Amino acid sequence: MPFVRRPASRLLMVIGALALVAPAHAGAQGTRGDYARAEQFLGPNAQELVLDDAVQPNWIAADRFWYRNRGAEGYEFLVVDMTTGIRRPAFDAVRLAASLSVAADTSYDPHKLPFREIRFVDGEQRVRFSVGKKRQWTCDLTSYACVGPDTLPLNDVTEVPSPNGRWVAFTRNDNLYVREVATGRETQLTNDAGPDDGYAKPTGCCAQVTNVIQRRPQRPVLVWSPDSRYIATYKMDERHVRRMYLLETKSPAFVLHSYPYALPGDSVIPAYDTYVFDVAAHRGVKVDRPPQAAVNTTCCWLTTRDSVLKDVKWDPASEHLFMTYGHRGYHELDLLDVNPATGQARTVLTEKSPTFVETNLASGGIPDWRPLSHGREVIWFSERSGWAQLYLYDARTGAMEHPITSGAWTVGDVLRVDEAGGWVYFTARGREAGRDPYFRFLYRVKLDGTGMQLLTPENADHDVTFAPSGAEFLDNYSRLDATPVTVVRRADGTLIHEVQRADPSRLFAEGWKFPTPITVKARDGVTDLYGLLYRPTNFDSTKRYPIIDYIYPGPQVGPVGDRAFASALRSGNQSLAELGFFVVELDAMGTPFRSKAFHDTYYGNMGDNGIPDLVTGIEQLGVRYPQIDLNRVGIYGHSGGGFSSTDAMLRYPDFFKVAVSRAGNHDNRSYDYTWGEKYQGLLVKTSDSTDNYDRQANQRLAANLKGKLLIMYGTMDDNVSPVNSLLLINALIKANKNFDLLVLPNRNHGFGNEPYVTRRTWDYFVQNLLGVAPPEGFEIHLPEP
């Protein structure tokens, strides 16, 4: 194009606009050196620099566990005796490495053994582990002779052993079987399963296609009775549920994948009948209730993350099966008492809410109700007072006996019930005055509601695991600004022994700094909101910095997560800050772990996404920290954060200037029905052309886009369908809006942790908020998993 002389006034306008985007100091940030430092502080890399980190127990016996620890010389396997708190090596690593090296004809370093998980066998006389895929070795811990490899799985998740060890339950062609361990004799318990209509089958959102493609073994969804007589499970019917489709990219042509996936308002959603099988008698009975809509009470499915059916619990004598019975819309939940021999069910109580009923405030958490007294009583979780608390009910009459806990604070997880001693042990948040209301503390209280005791007094977040014996518990306590300490305590809270104390010296030697805990006022000007602020480790108080918000709107969890030290490392936001930004995470109204009213803030209006709180919170930070440039505000997030970061750009286009939106559920009419119907409500037509979900859909606001928007999605995302992003993209095209796009072939929902995606996110903010060209060809490296 030939040069055209422009009027001086126009030229000055252009120069002025460029000055706003690229201030004079911008060249001092976003450099290759900043990128290298940012890479070093990414979670996987940063965690490698923390020694003796928080302990994750793997139980060997009632009072003993092993764990893998990152020590000064490398990784080690240790055993802890809970009765004394004393730890010792699980084996002689030098001898094992030498023996394995000879047997495998490979050289192994005793501080970098080629496995992360072990299993003790033969009364702890031998240890078994996997080297690579399907190559298992067994080493004698006396002679250290190693035998292998064989192909027997280290832990066969496809079989669920009975409590007495006599049986294992499994499925074949979606029918239920048991096998007697001693004889190998198999018994088929069902024979009527069909396509999309099977027993104990892990199903539902959010990895149906991924599990098939990656050939992930799945645990059958069932619960044995304590006496090993019965199996409780379900038969899930998805035969007439809407089908969704994904195209896998392969040479020479696409491969089409189909899977059942119901959407809000669909007339047919997954439904199931609950069954109880008498293993010895080889017969089963169906619980005498109509098929239950496959809704749950903790979002987003019926099982825990390891596929344990969580809304079913046995009494200790195996005489009563208690289960919850949900109703579509999440406004009502029944507790049933089932006779396992006959299937006869009786409603014990019904919990109702004008918004949604919860049985644990944590997404995927174990429901906080427990049968007691051989089925005569039940501990029940409810937010009826406006706060998550525990109540004791007479299970025979359905009458509430009394509250067990009360107050303006929230119960977290019920970890143990000691009926003999009359205690219930639970975590809670917000009870300790003057402390972060998100810190978890462990308490115990008498079942009659008296004698409340704080068992973990340190001013920190406590991650607690009880020993199977119940006599002791492991306590990892830390804060976002304090590294972990691991101790063993008796059930009454008495300190037995400090196991280890994290050593972050290598991390700090590289310049890493704790993020700053912050408190700001919410949109109402009254409610305190809590979060974290990250700054570059080479922060210069004389400079001005853009600020980027990392958003996850909930409603099932907030962006900060728990307040343990590891959360600050995992987020990756210190890395982003290193490039020349302030980065903020803020648990806005609408996220959990506070009052019911706080959590319900935008029920039925998911387009809110807590963004009004982020705007006012960032404005307050701009006053508090004059280095923040409120004319350069960015935002990014993944999944719900992808939805809400785009939403922020479209609803507040003059405030948010740049966004990276990854895997967003931009229109919850195109997302899993359990999500939308729980938090937006049942879909209701308001006219021939619209409904009550219309105002939350990002594509409806596409014409509002002013700033820079990068949309990312994976073509094989079986959690948030690519149709969500494509609807938005089409609307932006129709509105004649410029935007940027990164399509990731064959990626599922988890692509956000890929180094390439991280680097592209960094580049987008560096280029569009700093006005600096990113270093060309920078490649992020992470340790092998």
PDB file of all heavy atoms in Angstrom, residues 551-556 602 606 609 611 636-647 661-666 668 671 675 698 719-720 749:
ATOM      1  N   ILE A 551     -10.884 -15.856  37.025  1.00  0.00           N
ATOM      2  CA  ILE A 551     -12.261 -16.056  37.462  1.00  0.00           C
ATOM      3  C   ILE A 551     -12.679 -17.511  37.370  1.00  0.00           C
ATOM      4  O   ILE A 551     -12.375 -18.207  36.400  1.00  0.00           O
ATOM      5  CB  ILE A 551     -13.240 -15.174  36.632  1.00  0.00           C
ATOM      6  CG1 ILE A 551     -14.668 -15.291  37.189  1.00  0.00           C
ATOM      7  CG2 ILE A 551     -13.186 -15.518  35.143  1.00  0.00           C
ATOM      8  CD1 ILE A 551     -15.635 -14.288  36.584  1.00  0.00           C
ATOM      9  N   TYR A 552     -13.304 -17.988  38.419  1.00  0.00           N
ATOM     10  CA  TYR A 552     -14.160 -19.166  38.353  1.00  0.00           C
ATOM     11  C   TYR A 552     -15.382 -18.816  39.182  1.00  0.00           C
ATOM     12  O   TYR A 552     -15.271 -18.604  40.398  1.00  0.00           O
ATOM     13  CB  TYR A 552     -13.487 -20.443  38.867  1.00  0.00           C
ATOM     14  CG  TYR A 552     -14.329 -21.635  38.495  1.00  0.00           C
ATOM     15  CD1 TYR A 552     -14.172 -22.256  37.264  1.00  0.00           C
ATOM     16  CD2 TYR A 552     -15.349 -22.075  39.332  1.00  0.00           C
ATOM     17  CE1 TYR A 552     -14.993 -23.302  36.876  1.00  0.00           C
ATOM     18  CE2 TYR A 552     -16.172 -23.115  38.948  1.00  0.00           C
ATOM     19  CZ  TYR A 552     -15.996 -23.724  37.722  1.00  0.00           C
ATOM     20  OH  TYR A 552     -16.830 -24.750  37.344  1.00  0.00           O
ATOM     21  N   PRO A 553     -16.544 -18.725  38.565  1.00  0.00           N
ATOM     22  CA  PRO A 553     -17.694 -18.116  39.243  1.00  0.00           C
ATOM     23  C   PRO A 553     -18.427 -19.038  40.206  1.00  0.00           C
ATOM     24  O   PRO A 553     -19.318 -18.582  40.918  1.00  0.00           O
ATOM     25  CB  PRO A 553     -18.601 -17.742  38.069  1.00  0.00           C
ATOM     26  CG  PRO A 553     -18.320 -18.806  37.049  1.00  0.00           C
ATOM     27  CD  PRO A 553     -16.848 -19.111  37.179  1.00  0.00           C
ATOM     28  N   GLY A 554     -18.059 -20.337  40.198  1.00  0.00           N
ATOM     29  CA  GLY A 554     -18.886 -21.273  40.930  1.00  0.00           C
ATOM     30  C   GLY A 554     -20.056 -21.660  40.048  1.00  0.00           C
ATOM     31  O   GLY A 554     -19.947 -21.687  38.823  1.00  0.00           O
ATOM     32  N   PRO A 555     -21.219 -21.918  40.642  1.00  0.00           N
ATOM     33  CA  PRO A 555     -21.516 -21.755  42.055  1.00  0.00           C
ATOM     34  C   PRO A 555     -20.997 -22.871  42.964  1.00  0.00           C
ATOM     35  O   PRO A 555     -21.199 -22.792  44.173  1.00  0.00           O
ATOM     36  CB  PRO A 555     -23.046 -21.706  42.085  1.00  0.00           C
ATOM     37  CG  PRO A 555     -23.477 -21.378  40.717  1.00  0.00           C
ATOM     38  CD  PRO A 555     -22.447 -22.044  39.830  1.00  0.00           C
ATOM     39  N   GLN A 556     -20.370 -23.910  42.429  1.00  0.00           N
ATOM     40  CA  GLN A 556     -20.000 -25.044  43.276  1.00  0.00           C
ATOM     41  C   GLN A 556     -18.641 -24.871  43.937  1.00  0.00           C
ATOM     42  O   GLN A 556     -18.322 -25.559  44.903  1.00  0.00           O
ATOM     43  CB  GLN A 556     -20.066 -26.355  42.486  1.00  0.00           C
ATOM     44  CG  GLN A 556     -18.791 -26.797  41.794  1.00  0.00           C
ATOM     45  CD  GLN A 556     -18.372 -25.927  40.609  1.00  0.00           C
ATOM     46  OE1 GLN A 556     -18.953 -24.893  40.359  1.00  0.00           O
ATOM     47  NE2 GLN A 556     -17.345 -26.349  39.901  1.00  0.00           N
ATOM     48  N   TYR A 602     -26.838 -15.359  42.950  1.00  0.00           N
ATOM     49  CA  TYR A 602     -27.340 -15.203  41.580  1.00  0.00           C
ATOM     50  C   TYR A 602     -28.045 -16.465  41.082  1.00  0.00           C
ATOM     51  O   TYR A 602     -28.045 -16.751  39.878  1.00  0.00           O
ATOM     52  CB  TYR A 602     -26.237 -14.745  40.620  1.00  0.00           C
ATOM     53  CG  TYR A 602     -25.022 -15.615  40.471  1.00  0.00           C
ATOM     54  CD1 TYR A 602     -25.034 -16.721  39.633  1.00  0.00           C
ATOM     55  CD2 TYR A 602     -23.829 -15.306  41.130  1.00  0.00           C
ATOM     56  CE1 TYR A 602     -23.904 -17.502  39.456  1.00  0.00           C
ATOM     57  CE2 TYR A 602     -22.698 -16.078  40.958  1.00  0.00           C
ATOM     58  CZ  TYR A 602     -22.745 -17.175  40.116  1.00  0.00           C
ATOM     59  OH  TYR A 602     -21.622 -17.957  39.939  1.00  0.00           O
ATOM     60  N   MET A 606     -27.536 -16.823  36.056  1.00  0.00           N
ATOM     61  CA  MET A 606     -26.136 -17.226  35.948  1.00  0.00           C
ATOM     62  C   MET A 606     -25.297 -16.282  35.107  1.00  0.00           C
ATOM     63  O   MET A 606     -24.072 -16.347  35.139  1.00  0.00           O
ATOM     64  CB  MET A 606     -26.042 -18.654  35.403  1.00  0.00           C
ATOM     65  CG  MET A 606     -26.499 -19.682  36.414  1.00  0.00           C
ATOM     66  SD  MET A 606     -26.237 -21.380  35.878  1.00  0.00           S
ATOM     67  CE  MET A 606     -24.462 -21.500  36.004  1.00  0.00           C
ATOM     68  N   ASN A 609     -22.619 -14.231  37.404  1.00  0.00           N
ATOM     69  CA  ASN A 609     -21.273 -14.804  37.533  1.00  0.00           C
ATOM     70  C   ASN A 609     -20.395 -14.143  38.598  1.00  0.00           C
ATOM     71  O   ASN A 609     -19.179 -14.325  38.600  1.00  0.00           O
ATOM     72  CB  ASN A 609     -20.540 -14.753  36.186  1.00  0.00           C
ATOM     73  CG  ASN A 609     -20.937 -15.915  35.284  1.00  0.00           C
ATOM     74  OD1 ASN A 609     -20.967 -17.060  35.710  1.00  0.00           O
ATOM     75  ND2 ASN A 609     -21.265 -15.619  34.039  1.00  0.00           N
ATOM     76  N   ILE A 611     -19.589 -11.161  38.704  1.00  0.00           N
ATOM     77  CA  ILE A 611     -18.752 -10.134  38.074  1.00  0.00           C
ATOM     78  C   ILE A 611     -18.943  -8.752  38.708  1.00  0.00           C
ATOM     79  O   ILE A 611     -17.960  -8.001  38.844  1.00  0.00           O
ATOM     80  CB  ILE A 611     -19.003 -10.105  36.556  1.00  0.00           C
ATOM     81  CG1 ILE A 611     -18.636 -11.474  35.957  1.00  0.00           C
ATOM     82  CG2 ILE A 611     -18.176  -9.016  35.887  1.00  0.00           C
ATOM     83  CD1 ILE A 611     -19.054 -11.657  34.519  1.00  0.00           C
ATOM     84  N   TYR A 636      -9.382 -13.946  32.780  1.00  0.00           N
ATOM     85  CA  TYR A 636      -9.303 -15.235  32.093  1.00  0.00           C
ATOM     86  C   TYR A 636      -9.869 -16.325  32.987  1.00  0.00           C
ATOM     87  O   TYR A 636      -9.997 -16.167  34.210  1.00  0.00           O
ATOM     88  CB  TYR A 636      -7.877 -15.566  31.684  1.00  0.00           C
ATOM     89  CG  TYR A 636      -6.997 -16.200  32.751  1.00  0.00           C
ATOM     90  CD1 TYR A 636      -6.701 -17.561  32.709  1.00  0.00           C
ATOM     91  CD2 TYR A 636      -6.471 -15.449  33.798  1.00  0.00           C
ATOM     92  CE1 TYR A 636      -5.881 -18.150  33.665  1.00  0.00           C
ATOM     93  CE2 TYR A 636      -5.652 -16.020  34.752  1.00  0.00           C
ATOM     94  CZ  TYR A 636      -5.366 -17.369  34.692  1.00  0.00           C
ATOM     95  OH  TYR A 636      -4.564 -17.955  35.645  1.00  0.00           O
ATOM     96  N   GLY A 637     -10.230 -17.449  32.365  1.00  0.00           N
ATOM     97  CA  GLY A 637     -10.742 -18.587  33.114  1.00  0.00           C
ATOM     98  C   GLY A 637     -11.007 -19.755  32.195  1.00  0.00           C
ATOM     99  O   GLY A 637     -10.956 -19.641  30.962  1.00  0.00           O
ATOM    100  N   HIS A 638     -11.294 -20.895  32.818  1.00  0.00           N
ATOM    101  CA  HIS A 638     -11.503 -22.152  32.099  1.00  0.00           C
ATOM    102  C   HIS A 638     -12.847 -22.730  32.518  1.00  0.00           C
ATOM    103  O   HIS A 638     -13.236 -22.655  33.685  1.00  0.00           O
ATOM    104  CB  HIS A 638     -10.376 -23.128  32.439  1.00  0.00           C
ATOM    105  CG  HIS A 638     -10.333 -24.350  31.594  1.00  0.00           C
ATOM    106  ND1 HIS A 638      -9.591 -24.436  30.427  1.00  0.00           N
ATOM    107  CD2 HIS A 638     -10.954 -25.548  31.715  1.00  0.00           C
ATOM    108  CE1 HIS A 638      -9.748 -25.623  29.887  1.00  0.00           C
ATOM    109  NE2 HIS A 638     -10.573 -26.325  30.652  1.00  0.00           N
ATOM    110  N   SER A 639     -13.557 -23.342  31.576  1.00  0.00           N
ATOM    111  CA  SER A 639     -14.844 -23.971  31.849  1.00  0.00           C
ATOM    112  C   SER A 639     -15.844 -22.905  32.299  1.00  0.00           C
ATOM    113  O   SER A 639     -16.155 -21.996  31.527  1.00  0.00           O
ATOM    114  CB  SER A 639     -14.678 -25.081  32.889  1.00  0.00           C
ATOM    115  OG  SER A 639     -15.835 -25.874  32.973  1.00  0.00           O
ATOM    116  N   GLY A 640     -16.341 -22.981  33.542  1.00  0.00           N
ATOM    117  CA  GLY A 640     -17.190 -21.902  34.036  1.00  0.00           C
ATOM    118  C   GLY A 640     -16.476 -20.568  33.982  1.00  0.00           C
ATOM    119  O   GLY A 640     -17.090 -19.519  33.787  1.00  0.00           O
ATOM    120  N   GLY A 641     -15.138 -20.604  34.153  1.00  0.00           N
ATOM    121  CA  GLY A 641     -14.351 -19.393  34.015  1.00  0.00           C
ATOM    122  C   GLY A 641     -14.247 -18.926  32.582  1.00  0.00           C
ATOM    123  O   GLY A 641     -14.083 -17.728  32.312  1.00  0.00           O
ATOM    124  N   GLY A 642     -14.323 -19.862  31.627  1.00  0.00           N
ATOM    125  CA  GLY A 642     -14.369 -19.477  30.227  1.00  0.00           C
ATOM    126  C   GLY A 642     -15.677 -18.781  29.893  1.00  0.00           C
ATOM    127  O   GLY A 642     -15.703 -17.773  29.166  1.00  0.00           O
ATOM    128  N   PHE A 643     -16.766 -19.297  30.425  1.00  0.00           N
ATOM    129  CA  PHE A 643     -18.085 -18.670  30.273  1.00  0.00           C
ATOM    130  C   PHE A 643     -18.071 -17.260  30.866  1.00  0.00           C
ATOM    131  O   PHE A 643     -18.445 -16.280  30.223  1.00  0.00           O
ATOM    132  CB  PHE A 643     -19.114 -19.569  30.962  1.00  0.00           C
ATOM    133  CG  PHE A 643     -20.443 -18.944  31.272  1.00  0.00           C
ATOM    134  CD1 PHE A 643     -21.090 -18.121  30.370  1.00  0.00           C
ATOM    135  CD2 PHE A 643     -21.076 -19.221  32.477  1.00  0.00           C
ATOM    136  CE1 PHE A 643     -22.340 -17.568  30.664  1.00  0.00           C
ATOM    137  CE2 PHE A 643     -22.307 -18.687  32.778  1.00  0.00           C
ATOM    138  CZ  PHE A 643     -22.937 -17.853  31.874  1.00  0.00           C
ATOM    139  N   SER A 644     -17.590 -17.152  32.127  1.00  0.00           N
ATOM    140  CA  SER A 644     -17.714 -15.881  32.837  1.00  0.00           C
ATOM    141  C   SER A 644     -16.703 -14.841  32.379  1.00  0.00           C
ATOM    142  O   SER A 644     -16.985 -13.638  32.443  1.00  0.00           O
ATOM    143  CB  SER A 644     -17.599 -16.115  34.343  1.00  0.00           C
ATOM    144  OG  SER A 644     -16.453 -16.865  34.659  1.00  0.00           O
ATOM    145  N   SER A 645     -15.524 -15.253  31.902  1.00  0.00           N
ATOM    146  CA  SER A 645     -14.579 -14.257  31.402  1.00  0.00           C
ATOM    147  C   SER A 645     -15.124 -13.590  30.139  1.00  0.00           C
ATOM    148  O   SER A 645     -14.999 -12.370  29.966  1.00  0.00           O
ATOM    149  CB  SER A 645     -13.218 -14.897  31.137  1.00  0.00           C
ATOM    150  OG  SER A 645     -13.326 -15.999  30.249  1.00  0.00           O
ATOM    151  N   THR A 646     -15.740 -14.368  29.270  1.00  0.00           N
ATOM    152  CA  THR A 646     -16.391 -13.775  28.095  1.00  0.00           C
ATOM    153  C   THR A 646     -17.576 -12.920  28.520  1.00  0.00           C
ATOM    154  O   THR A 646     -17.779 -11.808  28.004  1.00  0.00           O
ATOM    155  CB  THR A 646     -16.854 -14.876  27.127  1.00  0.00           C
ATOM    156  OG1 THR A 646     -15.723 -15.626  26.690  1.00  0.00           O
ATOM    157  CG2 THR A 646     -17.569 -14.285  25.924  1.00  0.00           C
ATOM    158  N   ASP A 647     -18.353 -13.409  29.462  1.00  0.00           N
ATOM    159  CA  ASP A 647     -19.495 -12.666  29.980  1.00  0.00           C
ATOM    160  C   ASP A 647     -19.051 -11.298  30.506  1.00  0.00           C
ATOM    161  O   ASP A 647     -19.719 -10.279  30.276  1.00  0.00           O
ATOM    162  CB  ASP A 647     -20.136 -13.496  31.100  1.00  0.00           C
ATOM    163  CG  ASP A 647     -21.433 -12.901  31.619  1.00  0.00           C
ATOM    164  OD1 ASP A 647     -22.204 -12.362  30.809  1.00  0.00           O
ATOM    165  OD2 ASP A 647     -21.662 -12.989  32.832  1.00  0.00           O
ATOM    166  N   SER A 661     -10.605 -16.922  27.110  1.00  0.00           N
ATOM    167  CA  SER A 661     -11.773 -17.726  27.485  1.00  0.00           C
ATOM    168  C   SER A 661     -11.561 -19.152  27.005  1.00  0.00           C
ATOM    169  O   SER A 661     -11.511 -19.405  25.799  1.00  0.00           O
ATOM    170  CB  SER A 661     -13.027 -17.128  26.844  1.00  0.00           C
ATOM    171  OG  SER A 661     -14.131 -17.989  26.987  1.00  0.00           O
ATOM    172  N   ARG A 662     -11.442 -20.102  27.945  1.00  0.00           N
ATOM    173  CA  ARG A 662     -11.096 -21.476  27.582  1.00  0.00           C
ATOM    174  C   ARG A 662     -12.237 -22.425  27.960  1.00  0.00           C
ATOM    175  O   ARG A 662     -12.689 -22.445  29.101  1.00  0.00           O
ATOM    176  CB  ARG A 662      -9.803 -21.893  28.288  1.00  0.00           C
ATOM    177  CG  ARG A 662      -8.668 -20.931  28.027  1.00  0.00           C
ATOM    178  CD  ARG A 662      -7.313 -21.389  28.516  1.00  0.00           C
ATOM    179  NE  ARG A 662      -7.239 -21.803  29.901  1.00  0.00           N
ATOM    180  CZ  ARG A 662      -6.174 -21.597  30.678  1.00  0.00           C
ATOM    181  NH1 ARG A 662      -5.096 -20.985  30.196  1.00  0.00           N
ATOM    182  NH2 ARG A 662      -6.154 -22.017  31.919  1.00  0.00           N
ATOM    183  N   ALA A 663     -12.691 -23.214  26.978  1.00  0.00           N
ATOM    184  CA  ALA A 663     -13.661 -24.301  27.206  1.00  0.00           C
ATOM    185  C   ALA A 663     -14.910 -23.827  27.917  1.00  0.00           C
ATOM    186  O   ALA A 663     -15.428 -24.490  28.808  1.00  0.00           O
ATOM    187  CB  ALA A 663     -12.998 -25.433  27.992  1.00  0.00           C
ATOM    188  N   GLY A 664     -15.422 -22.671  27.529  1.00  0.00           N
ATOM    189  CA  GLY A 664     -16.547 -22.068  28.243  1.00  0.00           C
ATOM    190  C   GLY A 664     -17.891 -22.696  27.927  1.00  0.00           C
ATOM    191  O   GLY A 664     -18.186 -23.022  26.785  1.00  0.00           O
ATOM    192  N   ASN A 665     -18.718 -22.827  28.973  1.00  0.00           N
ATOM    193  CA  ASN A 665     -20.122 -23.227  28.781  1.00  0.00           C
ATOM    194  C   ASN A 665     -20.932 -21.947  28.568  1.00  0.00           C
ATOM    195  O   ASN A 665     -21.679 -21.502  29.428  1.00  0.00           O
ATOM    196  CB  ASN A 665     -20.639 -24.031  29.970  1.00  0.00           C
ATOM    197  CG  ASN A 665     -20.339 -23.402  31.315  1.00  0.00           C
ATOM    198  OD1 ASN A 665     -19.205 -23.014  31.579  1.00  0.00           O
ATOM    199  ND2 ASN A 665     -21.345 -23.313  32.174  1.00  0.00           N
ATOM    200  N   HIS A 666     -20.781 -21.381  27.366  1.00  0.00           N
ATOM    201  CA  HIS A 666     -21.278 -20.043  27.077  1.00  0.00           C
ATOM    202  C   HIS A 666     -22.796 -19.946  27.058  1.00  0.00           C
ATOM    203  O   HIS A 666     -23.335 -18.838  27.156  1.00  0.00           O
ATOM    204  CB  HIS A 666     -20.712 -19.569  25.737  1.00  0.00           C
ATOM    205  CG  HIS A 666     -19.223 -19.447  25.735  1.00  0.00           C
ATOM    206  ND1 HIS A 666     -18.556 -18.423  26.369  1.00  0.00           N
ATOM    207  CD2 HIS A 666     -18.256 -20.238  25.193  1.00  0.00           C
ATOM    208  CE1 HIS A 666     -17.253 -18.573  26.212  1.00  0.00           C
ATOM    209  NE2 HIS A 666     -17.036 -19.669  25.498  1.00  0.00           N
ATOM    210  N   ASN A 668     -25.804 -22.237  28.893  1.00  0.00           N
ATOM    211  CA  ASN A 668     -26.064 -23.421  29.708  1.00  0.00           C
ATOM    212  C   ASN A 668     -27.245 -24.244  29.213  1.00  0.00           C
ATOM    213  O   ASN A 668     -27.510 -25.324  29.754  1.00  0.00           O
ATOM    214  CB  ASN A 668     -26.230 -23.019  31.174  1.00  0.00           C
ATOM    215  CG  ASN A 668     -24.887 -22.705  31.812  1.00  0.00           C
ATOM    216  OD1 ASN A 668     -24.069 -23.587  32.021  1.00  0.00           O
ATOM    217  ND2 ASN A 668     -24.651 -21.431  32.076  1.00  0.00           N
ATOM    218  N   TYR A 671     -25.321 -27.145  27.927  1.00  0.00           N
ATOM    219  CA  TYR A 671     -24.469 -27.837  28.882  1.00  0.00           C
ATOM    220  C   TYR A 671     -25.304 -28.839  29.665  1.00  0.00           C
ATOM    221  O   TYR A 671     -26.532 -28.807  29.659  1.00  0.00           O
ATOM    222  CB  TYR A 671     -23.771 -26.832  29.810  1.00  0.00           C
ATOM    223  CG  TYR A 671     -22.755 -27.470  30.729  1.00  0.00           C
ATOM    224  CD1 TYR A 671     -21.809 -28.361  30.233  1.00  0.00           C
ATOM    225  CD2 TYR A 671     -22.759 -27.220  32.092  1.00  0.00           C
ATOM    226  CE1 TYR A 671     -20.897 -28.969  31.065  1.00  0.00           C
ATOM    227  CE2 TYR A 671     -21.834 -27.809  32.936  1.00  0.00           C
ATOM    228  CZ  TYR A 671     -20.906 -28.688  32.420  1.00  0.00           C
ATOM    229  OH  TYR A 671     -20.010 -29.305  33.239  1.00  0.00           O
ATOM    230  N   TRP A 675     -26.286 -29.252  35.790  1.00  0.00           N
ATOM    231  CA  TRP A 675     -25.694 -27.968  36.147  1.00  0.00           C
ATOM    232  C   TRP A 675     -26.711 -26.840  36.044  1.00  0.00           C
ATOM    233  O   TRP A 675     -26.993 -26.117  37.001  1.00  0.00           O
ATOM    234  CB  TRP A 675     -24.503 -27.696  35.237  1.00  0.00           C
ATOM    235  CG  TRP A 675     -23.794 -26.421  35.534  1.00  0.00           C
ATOM    236  CD1 TRP A 675     -24.008 -25.209  34.971  1.00  0.00           C
ATOM    237  CD2 TRP A 675     -22.745 -26.242  36.482  1.00  0.00           C
ATOM    238  NE1 TRP A 675     -23.150 -24.279  35.502  1.00  0.00           N
ATOM    239  CE2 TRP A 675     -22.364 -24.886  36.428  1.00  0.00           C
ATOM    240  CE3 TRP A 675     -22.081 -27.096  37.360  1.00  0.00           C
ATOM    241  CZ2 TRP A 675     -21.361 -24.368  37.221  1.00  0.00           C
ATOM    242  CZ3 TRP A 675     -21.078 -26.583  38.154  1.00  0.00           C
ATOM    243  CH2 TRP A 675     -20.727 -25.228  38.082  1.00  0.00           C
ATOM    244  N   ASN A 698     -24.065 -16.110  26.357  1.00  0.00           N
ATOM    245  CA  ASN A 698     -23.096 -15.120  25.887  1.00  0.00           C
ATOM    246  C   ASN A 698     -23.345 -14.685  24.452  1.00  0.00           C
ATOM    247  O   ASN A 698     -23.107 -13.522  24.098  1.00  0.00           O
ATOM    248  CB  ASN A 698     -21.676 -15.670  26.019  1.00  0.00           C
ATOM    249  CG  ASN A 698     -21.117 -15.508  27.410  1.00  0.00           C
ATOM    250  OD1 ASN A 698     -21.578 -14.685  28.189  1.00  0.00           O
ATOM    251  ND2 ASN A 698     -20.111 -16.304  27.741  1.00  0.00           N
ATOM    252  N   ASN A 719     -17.200 -32.843  28.228  1.00  0.00           N
ATOM    253  CA  ASN A 719     -17.780 -32.177  29.390  1.00  0.00           C
ATOM    254  C   ASN A 719     -18.571 -30.970  28.887  1.00  0.00           C
ATOM    255  O   ASN A 719     -19.800 -30.959  28.922  1.00  0.00           O
ATOM    256  CB  ASN A 719     -16.663 -31.769  30.362  1.00  0.00           C
ATOM    257  CG  ASN A 719     -17.168 -31.068  31.603  1.00  0.00           C
ATOM    258  OD1 ASN A 719     -18.300 -30.598  31.654  1.00  0.00           O
ATOM    259  ND2 ASN A 719     -16.336 -30.989  32.611  1.00  0.00           N
ATOM    260  N   VAL A 720     -17.868 -29.953  28.411  1.00  0.00           N
ATOM    261  CA  VAL A 720     -18.520 -28.787  27.801  1.00  0.00           C
ATOM    262  C   VAL A 720     -18.426 -28.949  26.285  1.00  0.00           C
ATOM    263  O   VAL A 720     -17.356 -28.808  25.698  1.00  0.00           O
ATOM    264  CB  VAL A 720     -17.837 -27.479  28.242  1.00  0.00           C
ATOM    265  CG1 VAL A 720     -18.453 -26.298  27.513  1.00  0.00           C
ATOM    266  CG2 VAL A 720     -17.967 -27.298  29.754  1.00  0.00           C
ATOM    267  N   HIS A 749     -11.772 -31.742  27.949  1.00  0.00           N
ATOM    268  CA  HIS A 749     -11.972 -30.536  28.750  1.00  0.00           C
ATOM    269  C   HIS A 749     -10.713 -30.097  29.484  1.00  0.00           C
ATOM    270  O   HIS A 749     -10.598 -28.943  29.894  1.00  0.00           O
ATOM    271  CB  HIS A 749     -13.108 -30.795  29.745  1.00  0.00           C
ATOM    272  CG  HIS A 749     -13.688 -29.558  30.348  1.00  0.00           C
ATOM    273  ND1 HIS A 749     -14.285 -28.572  29.592  1.00  0.00           N
ATOM    274  CD2 HIS A 749     -13.769 -29.137  31.643  1.00  0.00           C
ATOM    275  CE1 HIS A 749     -14.716 -27.611  30.393  1.00  0.00           C
ATOM    276  NE2 HIS A 749     -14.402 -27.914  31.628  1.00  0.00           N
TER     277      HIS A 749
END
